[in-house]
Amino acid sequence: MSDATSKHPNADVRMRGFAERITVEKALAWLDAELARQGTLGSETISLDDAAGRVLAVEVVSEVNVPNFQRAMMDGYALRATDIAKASADNAIPLEVVAECTPGQYHDGEIRPGQAIRIMTGAPLPAGVDSVLPVEHTTVVDEQVHAVRSLETGKNLGSVGEDIRGGDTLLPKGRVLRPQDIGVLSSVGHAQVEVVCRPRVRIVVTGNELLPAGKKPQGHAIVDANGPMLETLVARDGGVPHHPGIVPDDRDAIRAAIEDDADLVITSGGSSVGQEDHVPTLLAEHGELAIHGVAMRPAAPIGIGTLKGRLVVLLPGNPVACLWGYDLIAGRAIRSLGGRTKDWPYRKTTKTLTREIKSPVGRLDYVRVTIDGDQFEPVKSSGASVLSSTTRADGFVVVPTESEGHAPGARLSVFLYD
Amino acid sequence: MSDATSKHPNADVRMRGFAERITVEKALAWLDAELARQGTLGSETISLDDAAGRVLAVEVVSEVNVPNFQRAMMDGYALRATDIAKASADNAIPLEVVAECTPGQYHDGEIRPGQAIRIMTGAPLPAGVDSVLPVEHTTVVDEQVHAVRSLETGKNLGSVGEDIRGGDTLLPKGRVLRPQDIGVLSSVGHAQVEVVCRPRVRIVVTGNELLPAGKKPQGHAIVDANGPMLETLVARDGGVPHHPGIVPDDRDAIRAAIEDDADLVITSGGSSVGQEDHVPTLLAEHGELAIHGVAMRPAAPIGIGTLKGRLVVLLPGNPVACLWGYDLIAGRAIRSLGGRTKDWPYRKTTKTLTREIKSPVGRLDYVRVTIDGDQFEPVKSSGASVLSSTTRADGFVVVPTESEGHAPGARLSVFLYD
């Protein structure tokens, strides 16, 4: 027995199928421990223009008040409330309007008792006045403005720091930046922001039968579906995909590819225990093949390990298995490295099953389903090689390891693909 | 009375606040009728590399079978099932293995009765055999392979067109392309795809008090929050934002900006009925100001109209009002023009209210809330100018026009910001 096979976690199974597969739960426990060990990637400082959807690497504390001045919250007249304490519809009090103040304009002249400043929403409140009488509470007679209602002192003013106070924590570390966060960061004067680096993901698609995306299928060759799909998935999960092209089923070529510079490596194809399945043996020889074969359908011939301290996820070449293995393992790792939640990005809903789902105890099943109103059923023609089963599906359900499946009528959580 | 004010939908209210505001329901009905009139934008043909998340402009029908050949679905031996009909653990039948076949490789030699081909998953089935015996159902004695189980004819084969049949509709018009769709399109040989054009959205942020994003706030100037926020929102909804910079509160400058080339125009600031609110009067003069003032809080001073056949949405400058007005009106229009669902992109959940929400009948309220487990409450300090209320919030509830609000204990739908 060679060193290579002796390092294989299930060394006796080579060429005979997997004698034993570990449960999804154990595989995820191993993965999560490794992810905890690796933590999140380092940070980089980027322009606020590019920051939407990125993950804050640090807490953001405001250095400034927003606004840094008292301002009018209504269009009207800035005045002393005591000057019009007796104003009413029957007792209109004339205002001596001495100036006008629009946003961005500060009136710094003296304002005497009985005088008022015409003021627009957002304009800074001049010194010497204390309230804003809304224009609706005034009337104009012979071009003379009158107050027809009184108001409380301080009314219709926005205070210093009303939106944000200097020293306030604005956004927590780890925040995935939302549109309004970008607005708030802009308002406190941030031109740049420190975010977690995006995981660089090397996608290694192997298979002599594959033509690269963009070609027409011909003869006994098929066109690669997994590379373009994985690129899209990686980008969705905040990673930067790198997929320079199909890698031949050749040990040297595959080894060079999986040793490429990246934060995480995903391979597609050649992940099982056949003689052309070079990836697991290469990983076992040059790194650690920690997990190989997981009790689930599809994607049972998945592998997970490390090479040069980086995670390597070995996905099967069958495209449905590739998608599911990505979602279960690789996507989780990419999101974690990038400082995001490990949870799926799929929305979840509860629907009623109309057709039985069988699943043996001891195996976790990924079942593509179609939804019709409040009901759903498994898609027909759903083998691991039938990628169109995932495009015909509205979503999927997961039948846990310990479940035998579900009878019609069961209310289940469905994850949505839209 | 000038032509301008005579075209204003509520002509008597200029400078006196809005005498009357139409309901949100009526505003949306007008908007939806206009969106139905405009339909979706035209299409463009783009590389599959750039197609994730884009909207299909046409139904996609496959011109090819995937795969276009019968293939092995297991690692094992391709043979005639009748040759090993009597194989069992007690009656191992020797196989004459004459060749080997891996994916992408077609064996075109003659295969005689009793002979077998060693075959790998995905490899094309040679002529003359009809089934694949899995390697697990064989044994090797003195380098001679034996079948130790029989199997049905046709077993472990993937058929021609198993994934996709030529002529099948693969994806419907209007589909927002998912990762697996990209994979399927690649597998049928699509290098390009015809998608709905992304709406080009001119963002017109007005306000003499504003400094552009990237500056530090100083004096009585505040830094623009709405421009960067709107750019992010437009991109989220599938539009292409164009925001060349702050526009001064000047009629000519604003007119030039709102007449800029675009599929839709959003303005921020100067949307109300004050003397510095130039946008509504300009729109009334040069286009149609169909709606001005809507019975909701915040964002009551919103306007909607058309100019040169394009929608113009007038958002208030207060950033919370800007966000809400965008989400209610502008985002809906952008998604519709781009061929997407009008629904909000926010996930929805149901939680229990812990603090009363009051809202007058006749007005729709947008209430930012924080969630704690299964409960939620409105955020404190939530004026229309307090953008940080939207960054402190986990999401929002909408109190409909006809509701007086909700008492503690109510189970309500909460839209989530994450």
Side-chain angles (χ1 to χ4, degrees):
Chain A
M1 186 176 280
S2 76
D3 277 344
T5 48
S6 68
K7 288 176 76 178
H8 189 283
N10 323 65
D12 57 330
V13 306
R14 304 247 0 121
M15 304 309 306
R16 300 277 99 188
F18 293 93
E20 192 184 2
R21 295 185 174 117
I22 75 165
T23 61
V24 168
E25 291 71 22
K26 284 184 182 165
L28 288 177
W30 182 91
L31 178 67
D32 285 351
E34 176 63 22
L35 291 173
R37 195 189 65 71
Q38 293 197 18
T40 58
L41 297 179
S43 67
E44 60 181 335
T45 299
I46 63 169
S47 166
L48 190 62
D49 296 341
D50 303 319
R54 296 294 298 269
V55 179
L56 270 187
V58 291
E59 180 182 85
V60 175
V61 176
S62 178
E63 296 170 3
V64 298
N65 297 307
V66 178
N68 202 22
F69 51 88
Q70 274 198 309
R71 60 186 173 184
M73 298 305 284
M74 302 281 281
D75 290 347
Y77 296 88
L79 42 66
R80 289 176 182 82
T82 51
D83 288 350
I84 58 161
K86 297 186 173 158
S88 70
D90 298 331
N91 183 35
I93 296 182
L95 300 177
E96 184 193 349
V97 182
V98 296
E100 182 175 284
C101 207
T102 58
Q105 250 186 342
Y106 182 67
H107 175 82
D108 57 5
E110 192 187 351
I111 305 175
R112 292 193 308 276
Q115 293 183 333
I117 301 276
R118 182 163 170 75
I119 199 164
M120 299 294 141
T121 302
L125 191 76
V129 290
D130 56 28
S131 311
V132 171
L133 180 70
V135 67
E136 294 88 341
H137 299 170
T138 64
T139 185
V140 180
V141 179
D142 294 339
E143 300 192 354
Q144 169 64 53
V145 179
H146 294 74
V148 294
R149 275 209 216 169
S150 62
L151 82 175
E152 288 166 42
T153 299
K155 201 73 183 170
N156 300 319
L157 294 185
S159 58
V160 172
E162 177 199 31
D163 188 350
I164 296 159
R165 282 195 195 83
D168 277 0
T169 294
L170 277 184
L171 297 167
K173 179 179 170 175
R175 172 77 152 221
V176 180
L177 291 171
R178 305 170 186 171
Q180 58 264 46
D181 299 343
I182 302 296
V184 160
L185 287 167
S186 179
S187 75
V188 300
H190 275 264
Q192 296 187 308
V193 61
E194 190 178 344
V195 294
V196 178
C197 289
R198 299 173 71 174
R200 296 165 306 134
V201 179
R202 176 62 155 100
I203 297 171
V204 180
V205 175
T206 67
N208 290 337
E209 76 279 24
L210 295 178
L211 296 170
K215 297 285 183 192
K216 295 270 177 205
Q218 55 185 358
H220 295 94
I222 60 173
V223 181
D224 177 32
N226 291 355
M229 180 172 71
L230 288 169
E231 288 182 80
T232 306
L233 288 162
V234 167
R236 178 197 72 184
D237 287 327
V240 181
H242 179 52
H243 176 223
I246 309 290
V247 177
D249 285 324
D250 170 90
R251 284 176 56 87
D252 291 342
I254 294 172
R255 182 174 170 192
I258 64 177
E259 288 184 340
D260 205 356
D261 184 34
D263 299 310
L264 182 139
V265 177
I266 300 175
T267 70
S268 156
S271 72
S272 189
V273 293
Q275 67 183 24
E276 293 297 310
D277 293 324
H278 301 304
V279 194
T281 50
L282 279 166
L283 189 58
E285 282 171 41
H286 301 287
E288 183 199 9
L289 179 62
I291 287 165
H292 195 205
V294 174
M296 61 181 175
R297 189 159 81 178
I302 198 172
I304 322 175
T306 56
L307 183 68
K308 299 182 172 179
R310 304 162 319 175
L311 274 165
V312 183
V313 181
L314 282 51
L315 299 176
N318 264 331
V320 180
C322 180
L323 173 61
W324 171 240
Y326 175 90
D327 266 346
L328 190 75
I329 302 293
R332 185 181 184 89
I334 292 166
R335 291 191 295 273
S336 175
L337 288 171
R340 297 171 192 273
T341 172
K342 288 176 187 161
D343 295 343
W344 277 321
Y346 302 118
R347 287 187 303 136
K348 205 165 73 172
T349 183
T350 303
K351 302 280 179 188
T352 301
L353 179 65
T354 57
R355 214 151 48 76
E356 186 180 22
I357 296 176
K358 282 189 186 172
S359 169
V361 169
R363 188 183 81 191
L364 181 143
D365 281 12
Y366 154 74
V367 183
R368 279 78 69 213
V369 304
T370 53
I371 293 173
D372 183 9
D374 190 48
Q375 302 187 319
F376 75 99
E377 63 173 18
V379 298
K380 284 148 195 142
S381 178
S382 58
S385 59
V386 181
L387 184 55
S388 62
S389 69
T390 67
T391 61
R392 282 180 279 120
D394 298 309
F396 63 91
V397 298
V398 176
V399 185
T401 304
E402 296 312 317
S403 169
E404 289 187 289
H406 300 283
R411 293 283 292 173
L412 299 177
S413 283
V414 179
F415 294 93
L416 300 176
Y417 270 134
D418 63 359
Chain B
M1 188 178 278
S2 76
D3 276 344
T5 48
S6 69
K7 287 176 75 177
H8 188 285
N10 324 65
D12 56 331
V13 307
R14 305 258 343 132
M15 304 309 306
R16 301 277 98 190
F18 292 93
E20 193 184 0
R21 296 185 174 117
I22 76 163
T23 62
V24 168
E25 291 71 22
K26 284 185 182 165
L28 288 178
W30 182 90
L31 177 67
D32 286 351
E34 176 62 23
L35 291 173
R37 194 188 65 72
Q38 294 199 16
T40 59
L41 298 179
S43 67
E44 59 180 338
T45 299
I46 62 169
S47 167
L48 190 61
D49 296 342
D50 303 319
R54 296 294 298 267
V55 179
L56 271 186
V58 291
E59 181 182 83
V60 176
V61 176
S62 180
E63 296 169 3
V64 298
N65 296 308
V66 178
N68 202 23
F69 50 89
Q70 275 199 309
R71 60 186 174 185
M73 297 306 282
M74 302 279 283
D75 291 347
Y77 296 89
L79 41 66
R80 290 175 182 80
T82 51
D83 289 349
I84 60 161
K86 295 187 175 161
S88 70
D90 299 331
N91 182 34
I93 297 181
L95 300 178
E96 184 192 348
V97 181
V98 296
E100 182 174 286
C101 208
T102 57
Q105 249 184 343
Y106 182 67
H107 175 83
D108 57 4
E110 194 189 350
I111 305 175
R112 294 194 307 276
Q115 292 184 331
I117 301 277
R118 182 165 171 73
I119 199 164
M120 299 295 140
T121 302
L125 191 76
V129 289
D130 57 27
S131 312
V132 172
L133 181 69
V135 67
E136 293 88 340
H137 299 170
T138 65
T139 184
V140 181
V141 179
D142 295 338
E143 300 192 354
Q144 170 64 54
V145 179
H146 294 74
V148 294
R149 276 210 216 169
S150 64
L151 81 175
E152 291 165 39
T153 299
K155 201 72 184 170
N156 301 319
L157 293 184
S159 57
V160 172
E162 177 199 33
D163 189 349
I164 295 158
R165 282 195 194 84
D168 276 0
T169 294
L170 278 184
L171 297 167
K173 179 179 170 175
R175 173 77 153 221
V176 180
L177 291 171
R178 305 171 185 171
Q180 56 265 46
D181 300 342
I182 302 295
V184 161
L185 288 167
S186 179
S187 74
V188 298
H190 274 265
Q192 296 187 307
V193 61
E194 189 178 344
V195 295
V196 178
C197 290
R198 300 172 70 175
R200 297 165 304 135
V201 180
R202 176 63 154 99
I203 298 170
V204 180
V205 175
T206 67
N208 290 337
E209 77 279 23
L210 295 178
L211 296 169
K215 296 286 182 188
K216 295 271 177 200
Q218 55 185 356
H220 296 93
I222 60 173
V223 181
D224 176 31
N226 291 355
M229 180 173 73
L230 288 170
E231 288 181 79
T232 306
L233 288 162
V234 167
R236 178 196 73 185
D237 288 326
V240 181
H242 178 53
H243 176 222
I246 309 291
V247 177
D249 285 324
D250 169 271
R251 283 176 56 90
D252 291 342
I254 294 171
R255 183 176 169 190
I258 64 176
E259 289 185 341
D260 205 356
D261 184 34
D263 298 310
L264 181 140
V265 177
I266 300 175
T267 69
S268 155
S271 72
S272 188
V273 292
Q275 67 182 27
E276 293 298 311
D277 293 324
H278 302 304
V279 194
T281 49
L282 279 166
L283 190 57
E285 282 172 40
H286 301 287
E288 184 200 7
L289 178 62
I291 287 165
H292 195 204
V294 174
M296 61 181 176
R297 189 159 83 176
I302 199 172
I304 321 176
T306 56
L307 183 67
K308 299 180 171 179
R310 306 161 319 176
L311 274 164
V312 182
V313 181
L314 281 51
L315 300 176
N318 265 331
V320 179
C322 180
L323 173 61
W324 171 242
Y326 175 89
D327 266 345
L328 190 76
I329 303 293
R332 183 180 186 91
I334 293 166
R335 290 191 296 275
S336 175
L337 287 172
R340 298 170 191 274
T341 170
K342 288 178 188 162
D343 295 343
W344 278 321
Y346 302 118
R347 288 188 301 136
K348 204 164 76 170
T349 184
T350 304
K351 301 281 178 186
T352 302
L353 179 65
T354 58
R355 213 149 51 74
E356 185 180 22
I357 296 175
K358 282 189 186 170
S359 169
V361 169
R363 188 181 82 189
L364 181 143
D365 280 13
Y366 154 73
V367 182
R368 279 78 69 211
V369 305
T370 54
I371 293 173
D372 184 7
D374 189 48
Q375 302 187 320
F376 76 98
E377 62 173 20
V379 299
K380 285 150 195 140
S381 181
S382 57
S385 58
V386 180
L387 184 55
S388 63
S389 69
T390 68
T391 62
R392 282 181 279 120
D394 298 309
F396 62 91
V397 298
V398 176
V399 185
T401 304
E402 295 313 316
S403 168
E404 289 188 289
H406 301 283
R411 295 282 291 173
L412 299 177
S413 283
V414 179
F415 294 92
L416 299 176
Y417 270 133
D418 62 359

